[in-house]
Amino acid sequence: MVCESVLRCVVVWCLGVVAAFAQTSSFASDVVVLPQRQAYAMGMITGVDLVAVDVDVAIEGRQAATTIVMSLSNRSTTARETEVLMPIPDGAVVRGFDFLGGADAPTATLLERHEARTLYQGIVERLRDPALLEFASSRTLRSSVFPVPANGEQKLSVTYDELLSTTPDGRVDYRLPRSDAMNTGAVAWTISVRVDGGAPVRSVYSPSHEIHVARLSPNRPVINVSRESAQTPGDFRLSFVLGGRSGPFASTFITAPDPDEPGGWFALIGDVPQASERLPREVTIVLDRSGSMAGAKMDQARDAALQIIEGLYEDEAFNIFDYSNEVASFSPVPVRKSVDTVRAARDYVRALSVDGGTNLAEALLTTLRQPATPGMLPMVLFLTDGRATVGVRDEATIRTRAAAENTHGRRVFTFGVGTDVNAPLLDQVAQSTRGTSTYVLPDEDVEVKVGEVYAKLFGPVLTGASIVARDASGAIDAYALRDITPSPLPDLYAGDELVLVGRYLRDEPMTLEVEGRTAAGVERIELPFDAAASQIADDIFVRRLWAQRRVASLIDAVRMFEVRDDADQLGEITQEIVQLSTTYGVLTEYTAFMATEGTDIGDVDALRKRVRSALASRARGTRTGRGAVSQSVNIARLRRAQRAQRTSSFLDASLSRIEVSAVQQVADLTFFKIGPRWVDTRIIRRSQVDRAAAQQIRASAGALTASESAAPEPTPPTTPMKSLRVVDFGSEGYTAAVEQLVSEGRGAVFALDGDIYVLAGDEPTILRAPR
């Protein structure tokens, strides 16, 4: 019974997680609030909620000051006393801890790891919720008690300073600790970072969240987390390069070594500033005026064409082609932009009428054949709303002839208007020419979609780029790099951000040489690559990003008929897709069944058979319609991703968004929901080669009890897996597993709801949730 008019609560906050609780040994608590989850009552209902979190980071050189303002609201008619527990990064020094209001300032104590762990474990035991064990390895700031007034709000500000890590190439890394818990009802965070580098700040990149970068000057960018990414769980991470090389391309490497063999994975992060000289462009616009384009589609296409032409620089050139049954053009050759040519083009476009069929092949080939303007980068914006219905209609023939006719190296940017298009053809033509494919879905505006693409094509800086590795002697090492994406390297335009990922197979330092064409001629850019010096803590995002793009590349190879439908080629691709899907949780429309109830994820033969069937029927068999367009959009999303995706989602054959909720990524691990439990994919991978482990997986999907904790006898000749431990919440075994996972830096595992089947050390362990 509570007789005081002021109720006590504790708010435990970790940049995404607040918990209300009292000192674990000296006083009792009434409420725990987990803002990325929910408020938990400790015997009574609380009215205290976290309503906003605003983070402002000021970085000068390597010195970072992080200020976090937490807004609490008390909906009850009684004042509530509150205590804050907030994990602090290693090496950080707390400088400020204060109210933003008219109350006495609280005091704070910094708890070291062992003290914080004891505190968190006490809270967990009281709440019977292991989620806070996610932070059991963190230094923690603990405040004194302060009031949140009845029917009022209280804001608390915390500021800490830290010296950021840096690499030999000038990369500076910042991390804001947050929870890995997935919760759609979480408070959205506003995060803003101001950098004063004292030198040009280049290659600004977040591997964790989508960001917007505005530049007050070359030395002073302002970075804001996008609204769409505000609720993305996990630490907020930011990297940038101070100074760096001058020229058309500034870069840094982030590496993730392979724990089992030489080499590993790498990400090359680069940006392209505004160049003093740019390559002029020759832009050809190709408009489909077949009968199906009548109405708003044609009106929007006309407006898009005129907007592009009028936006060209005076030293650039253009042409216009239009087609239905026949192909026509504004001019036999591209013309320079002038007042007169723009006026003539405007009249030409406005006079276009729609009728007839779609002679797509002849329009594409005629455009590619036209003479090129010397000294310019030739590009084509090709619009169509249908399949080829006139002239050459065979997809393979069109692809082959387009490749042969493109002797001038034109970049083709394709736009599929609607869904009655041959999406794989448009994708392949664009990719093979360093262009992109875009789809204007029903109810979308043609002019807007064309404008979004074209806005990124101003100021070509480096074109026709290639990359090779050279060893210490300067000789090309053809074995050093593998599976690089994007491939081929895209042309780089002013303001571009390049994120290139791949595998490196040697640990020795080397030089990566990027060669391409600039306005001044051919340029070679030497990038020193030292895998050991480029590592970053928590490097799993590099591997996950590579896996996403690798899956997209493998699916594309099947879709473009680059592999034979036999056991050797299609079978190998299917095997790799299954392996990447179960390791990293990269699920697509072809593999999403793995996360559905009833799938035996330990039966690798059945998985491969089903994936192979999906690739054959959909990736190869569906060439037009909504099902084809949805695949193109899904593959492009994976292929162009700049950061690893926390969750898997895709468009289905009806263009509806599908979210896969039965896969989660926490720390450096991936978990599948199998039956009532989250299962560590390391155990899943073992189960695919070890029948004893597979039996454990199947048993874990049922109502396994502590008396059934012994693993079944392994079936020779497989290597036996250690016996399965089943430990109940609060038991000595559970505590031992907690200690093991926390020592591995995997305390975030406890952010998962429900039972967890995980490797703790090398022991397969089921952590039972509180009952």
Side-chain angles (χ1 to χ4, degrees):
M1 177 177 179
V2 176
C3 58
E4 299 173 320
S5 62
V6 178
L7 304 177
R8 286 180 174 263
C9 65
V10 176
V11 177
V12 178
W13 177 41
C14 180
L15 300 185
V17 174
V18 174
F21 190 61
Q23 297 179 14
T24 57
S25 58
S26 59
F27 58 87
S29 174
D30 300 307
V31 175
V32 171
V33 179
L34 300 174
Q36 283 197 339
R37 291 168 173 256
Q38 64 187 63
Y40 294 88
M42 299 291 290
M44 62 190 65
I45 297 176
T46 179
V48 176
D49 299 309
L50 180 75
V51 294
V53 178
D54 301 298
V55 182
D56 181 80
V57 185
I59 300 176
E60 294 187 15
R62 292 176 54 202
Q63 187 70 40
T66 301
T67 299
I68 305 159
V69 177
M70 176 177 60
S71 299
L72 298 173
S73 174
N74 183 359
R75 294 177 285 103
S76 73
T77 57
T78 305
R80 308 282 181 166
E81 290 188 355
T82 305
E83 182 179 354
V84 168
L85 302 177
M86 185 173 71
I88 298 293
D90 288 342
V93 177
V94 178
R95 174 159 53 91
F97 189 84
D98 205 354
F99 287 138
L100 301 180
D104 294 335
T107 60
T109 302
L110 186 62
L111 305 180
E112 294 303 324
R113 290 174 183 269
H114 66 283
E115 297 172 301
R117 183 177 304 184
T118 300
L119 181 60
Y120 285 127
Q121 288 175 334
I123 296 172
V124 166
E125 290 171 7
R126 175 66 183 272
L127 295 177
R128 296 190 63 76
D129 184 343
L132 288 178
L133 292 172
E134 177 178 6
F135 318 116
S137 63
S138 303
R139 299 164 68 234
T140 297
L141 185 72
R142 181 180 190 179
S143 78
S144 60
V145 174
F146 62 89
V148 179
N151 295 313
E153 292 190 356
Q154 183 62 269
K155 290 189 175 183
L156 186 73
S157 173
V158 179
T159 300
Y160 59 82
D161 298 328
E162 58 184 320
L163 187 65
L164 304 180
S165 63
T166 188
T167 59
D169 63 3
R171 190 187 78 231
V172 178
D173 298 318
Y174 172 82
R175 182 178 69 90
L176 181 67
R178 288 172 47 111
S179 171
D180 267 346
M182 301 286 291
N183 185 3
T184 55
V187 172
W189 295 60
T190 62
I191 302 174
S192 180
V193 183
R194 294 170 289 112
V195 180
D196 187 347
V201 178
R202 308 282 298 272
S203 302
V204 179
Y205 173 68
S206 172
S208 61
H209 292 70
E210 181 183 31
I211 58 175
H212 298 305
V213 182
R215 290 189 177 274
L216 305 178
S217 72
N219 299 2
R220 298 173 62 202
V222 176
I223 301 101
N224 290 288
V225 172
S226 72
R227 183 182 300 272
E228 296 76 15
S229 197
Q231 288 183 306
T232 299
D235 294 349
F236 168 65
R237 306 180 66 126
L238 181 72
S239 296
F240 57 86
V241 174
L242 284 181
R245 71 180 306 277
S246 60
F249 184 64
S251 65
T252 184
F253 290 100
I254 302 177
T255 57
D258 191 320
D260 300 320
E261 56 188 45
W265 296 261
F266 74 92
L268 169 62
I269 314 298
D271 70 356
V272 184
Q274 295 287 343
S276 56
E277 295 182 86
R278 56 174 174 76
L279 281 167
R281 299 164 298 172
E282 173 209 280
V283 179
T284 299
I285 304 164
V286 186
L287 300 177
D288 181 349
R289 57 177 180 83
S290 60
S292 57
M293 283 288 291
K297 288 194 290 187
M298 193 63 194
D299 292 339
Q300 293 166 6
R302 289 191 190 98
D303 291 341
L306 294 177
Q307 180 186 29
I308 290 167
I309 292 168
E310 291 170 356
L312 291 170
Y313 294 108
E314 293 297 328
D315 62 345
E316 296 182 316
F318 70 90
N319 202 355
I320 306 166
F321 283 77
D322 57 277
Y323 67 101
S324 57
N325 290 340
E326 305 293 336
V327 180
S329 66
F330 169 70
S331 171
V333 296
V335 299
R336 300 268 180 172
K337 180 189 177 184
S338 68
V339 173
D340 291 338
T341 56
V342 170
R343 184 187 302 114
R346 190 179 297 118
D347 293 340
Y348 183 88
V349 169
R350 288 174 176 169
L352 293 176
S353 60
V354 297
D355 60 38
T358 305
N359 196 344
L360 184 149
E362 190 60 27
L364 177 60
L365 298 175
T366 303
T367 300
L368 297 175
R369 290 190 199 110
Q370 69 172 324
T373 307
M376 294 190 182
L377 178 67
M379 58 180 63
V380 176
L381 277 65
F382 191 98
L383 279 72
T384 182
D385 80 331
R387 295 166 287 174
T389 59
V390 178
V392 178
R393 306 179 194 182
D394 179 67
E395 177 187 331
T397 301
I398 296 173
R399 289 203 317 259
T400 301
R401 291 185 60 183
E405 296 283 359
N406 193 17
T407 57
H408 300 295
R410 283 189 160 86
R411 277 62 169 156
V412 183
F413 296 84
T414 59
F415 296 85
V417 181
T419 59
D420 189 29
V421 295
N422 187 321
L425 173 62
L426 299 183
D427 293 344
Q428 198 277 338
V429 169
Q431 292 171 35
S432 64
T433 62
R434 287 188 165 91
T436 59
S437 53
T438 301
Y439 294 90
V440 186
L441 301 181
D443 300 324
E444 292 185 331
D445 191 298
V446 177
E447 182 181 3
V448 171
K449 294 299 282 281
V450 173
E452 288 174 349
V453 173
Y454 185 67
K456 300 175 182 178
L457 304 180
F458 281 90
V461 175
L462 187 70
T463 65
S466 61
I467 186 168
V468 297
R470 294 186 181 274
D471 61 22
S473 70
I476 292 178
D477 186 344
Y479 180 74
L481 304 178
R482 283 290 183 275
D483 302 330
I484 294 175
T485 62
S487 178
L489 268 62
D491 296 326
L492 300 179
Y493 298 82
D496 268 356
E497 177 188 78
L498 173 67
V499 180
L500 184 146
V501 295
R503 297 288 311 265
Y504 66 93
L505 305 183
R506 304 192 192 283
D507 293 327
E508 298 80 14
M510 66 183 91
T511 298
L512 301 193
E513 181 181 272
V514 177
E515 179 179 310
R517 178 187 168 210
T518 69
V522 175
E523 179 162 349
R524 292 182 178 86
I525 304 168
E526 293 186 349
L527 307 174
F529 179 83
D530 185 341
S534 302
Q535 292 180 30
I536 191 171
D538 304 324
D539 57 21
I540 185 61
F541 73 86
V542 179
R543 287 176 276 163
R544 284 177 176 155
L545 179 57
W546 173 83
Q548 286 174 198
R549 293 192 183 176
R550 179 63 178 166
V551 167
S553 297
L554 293 170
I555 295 170
D556 245 356
V558 175
R559 201 164 180 238
M560 301 306 175
F561 294 94
E562 295 174 4
V563 296
R564 297 189 306 274
D565 188 7
D566 59 30
D568 291 336
Q569 289 199 344
L570 186 56
E572 288 176 2
I573 283 183
T574 300
Q575 180 178 342
E576 186 172 357
I577 289 175
V578 169
Q579 186 265 329
L580 291 171
S581 299
T582 53
T583 300
Y584 297 105
V586 180
L587 297 189
T588 65
E589 61 212 279
Y590 318 100
T591 54
F593 71 88
M594 294 182 183
T596 58
E597 184 124 9
T599 298
D600 185 352
I601 203 165
D603 188 346
V604 68
D605 291 334
L607 297 182
R608 291 172 182 167
K609 182 177 180 180
R610 190 164 172 181
V611 171
R612 180 169 177 165
S613 175
L615 291 171
S617 63
R618 282 186 49 71
R620 279 189 168 170
T622 306
R623 315 305 288 177
T624 62
R626 287 174 173 254
V629 170
S630 66
Q631 291 182 80
S632 291
V633 173
N634 293 333
I635 293 169
R637 182 169 177 257
L638 288 175
R639 188 195 309 117
R640 301 173 191 172
Q642 299 289 75
R643 53 196 54 82
Q645 298 172 9
R646 296 279 308 194
T647 58
S648 293
S649 67
F650 55 87
L651 297 180
D652 66 10
S654 64
L655 296 177
S656 298
R657 174 68 59 186
I658 303 298
E659 302 284 345
V660 181
S661 60
V663 176
Q664 289 198 24
Q665 298 171 350
V666 291
D668 63 337
L669 305 179
T670 302
F671 288 81
F672 277 70
K673 191 70 175 291
I674 299 177
R677 297 187 174 92
W678 290 103
V679 180
D680 185 346
T681 57
R682 295 175 299 168
I683 296 175
I684 292 172
R685 294 199 303 277
R686 286 191 184 188
S687 74
Q688 293 172 347
V689 297
D690 182 339
R691 279 182 287 174
Q695 289 174 340
Q696 288 186 7
I697 287 275
R698 296 184 187 103
S700 77
L704 190 64
T705 65
S707 62
E708 300 171 311
S709 61
E713 288 298 318
T715 304
T718 59
T719 302
M721 190 173 179
K722 281 197 173 183
S723 295
L724 174 66
R725 290 190 305 166
V726 179
V727 294
D728 290 320
F729 176 79
S731 68
E732 290 185 6
Y734 194 99
T735 301
V738 168
E739 293 292 331
Q740 178 63 44
L741 290 168
V742 168
S743 70
E744 296 172 3
R746 291 169 171 151
V749 163
F750 297 98
L752 295 169
D753 291 322
D755 291 356
I756 304 166
Y757 186 9
V758 63
L759 281 179
D762 61 351
E763 291 191 79
T765 304
I766 290 181
L767 303 170
R768 283 186 177 277
R771 296 297 194 267

